[in-house]
């Protein structure tokens, strides 16, 4: 199947005081094998530089919205309501996707006529303390998470969304 036959995808990203990781996240989105049709960022940061960094570095179409304060669930609800595509994917500011992520998940949605493919996150440790914490909690295996999930938008609207 070539790209013209693929369903359109929006990535929704809630941000809050994430300026130190935004460049790595943008770089990882730019490296995705299958590029999204749009990236929607809902930002409740105090840092006003984030919008400029996104607009200057993200290769695909983006929509940036600053809100006064929104927890991740509320920010995701806003993002989904703004999305113009049939499929929605969630990332978080510190969730760095594998370059094959969207391509693989879209294949699963289409091959199995699924409504959702849940994200799987492996937690990285950037300090010795984080390494100990990871060993005591999640370990090195992947865990089902909201970030990384791909789903049909109508399913989201037929649910209670995030509370």
């Amino acid at each position: 199947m070539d790209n013209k036959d693929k369903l359109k995808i929006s990535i929704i990203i809630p941000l809050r005081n994430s300026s130190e990781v935004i460049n790595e996240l943008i770089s990882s989105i730019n490296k995705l094998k299958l590029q999204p049709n749009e990236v929607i960022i809902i930002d409740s940061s105090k840092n006003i530089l984030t919008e400029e960094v996104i607009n200057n570095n993200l290769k695909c179409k983006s929509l940036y919205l600053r809100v006064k304060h929104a927890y991740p669930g509320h920010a995701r609800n806003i993002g989904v309501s703004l999305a113009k595509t049939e499929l929605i994917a969630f990332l978080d500011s510190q969730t760095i996707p594998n370059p094959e992520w969207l391509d693989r998940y879209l294949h699963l949605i289409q091959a199995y006529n699924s409504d959702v493919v849940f994200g799987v996150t492996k937690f990285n440790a950037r300090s010795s303390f984080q390494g100990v914490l990871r060993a005591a909690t999640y370990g090195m295996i992947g865990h089902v998470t909201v970030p990384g999930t791909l789903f049909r938008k109508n399913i989201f609207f037929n649910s209670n969304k995030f509370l």
Side-chain angles (χ1 to χ4, degrees):
M1 175 183 306
D2 60 30
N3 282 340
K4 68 179 171 109
D5 296 328
K6 293 193 177 189
L7 297 169
K8 295 181 177 182
I9 301 171
S10 297
I11 296 176
I12 312 297
I13 306 169
L15 292 180
R16 185 154 199 274
N17 301 329
S18 303
S19 59
E20 69 283 350
V21 294
I22 195 67
N23 287 321
E24 184 178 5
L25 178 61
I26 290 171
S27 176
S28 70
I29 292 170
N30 287 340
K31 292 176 185 172
L32 289 172
K33 179 179 176 183
L34 174 64
Q35 285 291 299
N37 297 83
E38 64 181 356
V39 174
I40 300 172
I41 294 103
I42 307 300
D43 188 3
S44 60
S45 301
K46 295 176 183 173
N47 182 346
I48 60 172
L49 299 174
T50 307
E51 181 177 13
E52 184 178 319
V53 169
I54 291 165
N55 290 336
N56 291 337
N57 297 298
L58 196 59
K59 291 193 311 190
C60 60
K61 178 182 173 187
S62 65
L63 172 63
Y64 178 90
L65 179 65
R66 180 175 291 282
V67 295
K68 185 169 182 166
H69 181 74
Y71 288 105
H74 180 61
R76 289 184 189 109
N77 290 344
I78 294 168
V80 173
S81 71
L82 296 171
K84 295 179 174 47
T85 62
E86 180 181 342
L87 291 174
I88 306 295
F90 288 140
L91 286 178
D92 280 347
S93 62
Q94 295 187 33
T95 305
I96 305 304
N98 179 301
E100 307 282 327
W101 163 61
L102 272 185
D103 194 50
R104 287 180 187 167
Y105 277 37
L106 179 58
H107 171 76
L108 292 171
I109 290 274
Q110 292 177 318
Y112 296 100
N113 195 28
S114 298
D115 292 326
V116 63
V117 178
F118 289 99
V120 176
T121 299
K122 290 183 181 178
F123 295 89
N124 291 328
R126 295 183 184 204
S127 69
S128 58
F129 174 75
Q130 289 176 352
V132 169
L133 187 61
R134 180 184 61 193
T137 56
Y138 300 106
M140 296 289 291
I141 61 172
H143 294 272
V144 174
T145 57
V146 171
T149 297
L150 178 66
F151 59 93
R152 296 182 190 276
K153 183 165 61 172
N154 65 326
I155 295 301
F156 188 78
F157 285 123
N158 291 334
S159 73
N160 288 327
K161 305 179 191 174
F162 288 100
L163 300 178

